[in-house]
Amino acid sequence: MGNSTAKTSPPNQRYAFVDIAKGFAIIAVVLWHINFANDFNAAFPLKTILGGGWHVPAFFIISGFFLKEDRLLAPFHFAKSKLKTIYLWTIAIYIPAILMHNFFFKIGFYSSGPNLGYSQALQPYTSVDFIKKIIEALLFAGREPIVSPLWFAYVLCLALIGYSLI
């Protein structure tokens, strides 16, 4: 019943500077991915500012900002919680996208022409391809075009788990 010296986590609160940083990084990612160029303003070259891939490390730093030390002291529980949240949500989006792959071809959303970021032209999947792609998604290696930005979720999940184990 005496004084407790145990550390307690601060209550959940929002920090305006973190929200602003996340917003700036999100805008940077979108503009970078659409290959935005603002030739009209040489004094503020957005293409140069957005280059170098700084926005992905920014998201990792922001995610690390909210890690609580007491959760990191139980790495296996922490890893399990990240697998239950980040990983399962990613899989819940990835697998339906894989299963809809041939539908996207049928409606003309995917084409077999050259595709940005893929070494081979996209093709409709065979039954074996569906199984292979689902296994790849489950093993953090999914590359389904419509949800390819989810690579970030895979990497974030693995990075957080790795950090907690270290």
Side-chain angles (χ1 to χ4, degrees):
M1 295 228 191
N3 292 340
S4 174
T5 58
K7 286 186 178 180
T8 59
S9 299
N12 290 340
Q13 59 184 6
R14 295 190 71 91
Y15 296 95
F17 74 93
V18 173
D19 289 337
I20 292 167
K22 285 192 300 188
F24 188 68
I26 289 166
I27 291 168
V29 168
V30 170
L31 293 176
W32 180 255
H33 280 87
I34 65 170
N35 203 19
F36 178 80
N38 69 330
D39 296 331
F40 57 86
N41 189 350
F44 191 68
L46 284 179
K47 188 70 174 174
T48 302
I49 293 168
L50 300 177
W54 64 267
H55 30 75
V56 173
F59 281 114
F60 280 84
I61 291 167
I62 292 167
S63 295
F65 181 78
F66 294 103
L67 289 177
K68 294 185 173 124
E69 184 180 352
D70 56 334
R71 293 191 66 209
L72 291 173
L73 295 176
F76 293 106
H77 178 71
F78 181 78
K80 185 177 172 183
S81 74
K82 293 305 163 197
L83 290 173
K84 281 183 168 179
T85 55
I86 298 172
Y87 176 74
L88 285 182
W89 276 108
T90 303
I91 293 302
I93 295 168
Y94 239 107
I95 291 178
I98 291 167
L99 295 174
M100 294 177 61
H101 181 90
N102 288 354
F103 172 74
F104 291 135
F105 263 102
K106 187 175 182 176
I107 65 170
F109 190 76
Y110 288 168
S111 71
S112 57
N115 290 283
L116 182 65
Y118 294 89
S119 59
Q120 299 174 342
L122 294 175
Q123 298 296 325
Y125 290 161
T126 65
S127 298
V128 172
D129 291 333
F130 279 113
I131 293 168
K132 179 183 173 189
K133 295 296 182 181
I134 288 171
I135 291 170
E136 286 175 353
L138 292 171
L139 296 175
F140 296 89
R143 290 280 293 154
E144 185 60 30
I146 198 166
V147 291
S148 61
L150 284 178
W151 69 267
F152 179 83
Y154 281 145
V155 175
L156 179 62
C157 183
L158 291 172
L160 288 170
I161 290 170
Y163 181 70
S164 72
L165 294 174
I166 292 172

